[in-house]
Amino acid sequence: MNYQKITPISIADGDGCRAVLWVSGCEHNCYNCHNPDTHDPTSGYLFDEAAEKRLFDLLKPNYISGLTFSGGDPLHPLNRGEVTRLARRLKTKMPEKTIWLYTGYLYKQICDLEVLRFVDVLIDGPYMDAQRCVGKFYGSTNQRIIQNPPLLYLGLRTEVCNIDN
């Protein structure tokens, strides 16, 4: 998996202060995408052991609420395995940290992916420029902020609930 950058502290990409991993690779090609430089899965840097160590070191302080996966699309087919492994490792090593994940896929397209077992908040759906909004944790009003997708994944909840409802 390749990545564009690691942001040590962000307050715009989820609740609290978060580290953000911006992965490379996106198939959605949304009009006026905020991060078009992340679309090519071969762009950026190889996510190697050094990058992983840096990421996990950034997550150690108590004031860091957790990790946000963004991009590109963390659920691009070339990213799914590595993102799942990282999410599993974070929940094992630092279970108090939350994981937010942004994807252009709709929940119904990805509901069977293992990574959802580890994600606390999922933002789904492609960016739609005609529905652009400012001041939220998403870019357009068609996107949903879904709390606790592991309950859906495990079949313990059947409906998708949006934080904003």
Side-chain angles (χ1 to χ4, degrees), residues 3 16 21 25 31 44-45 70 79 81 121-122 129-130 135 139 155 157 165:
Y3 73 104
L21 176 61
Y31 175 73
Y45 312 95
S70 194
N79 297 332
V121 179
L122 175 74
D129 199 53
R157 192 176 88 209
N165 288 348

Side-chain angles (χ1 to χ4, degrees), residues 94-156:
M94 302 177 205
E96 73 282 3
K97 304 292 183 178
T98 59
I99 297 175
W100 282 52
L101 190 146
Y102 285 80
T103 184
Y105 296 101
L106 297 174
Y107 175 79
K108 67 183 178 182
Q109 296 172 297
I110 56 162
C111 62
D112 61 343
L113 296 181
E114 180 188 5
V115 69
L116 294 182
R117 294 176 55 192
F118 311 108
V119 172
D120 297 287
V121 179
L122 175 74
I123 296 82
D124 80 334
Y127 170 74
M128 294 186 164
D129 199 53
Q131 296 180 35
R132 182 178 185 270
C133 65
V134 179
K136 299 279 187 177
F137 288 129
Y138 48 82
S140 56
T141 57
N142 64 294
Q143 295 171 316
R144 298 177 298 178
I145 300 175
I146 302 168
Q147 285 187 316
N148 215 353
L151 292 180
L152 292 168
Y153 177 85
L154 296 171
L156 300 174

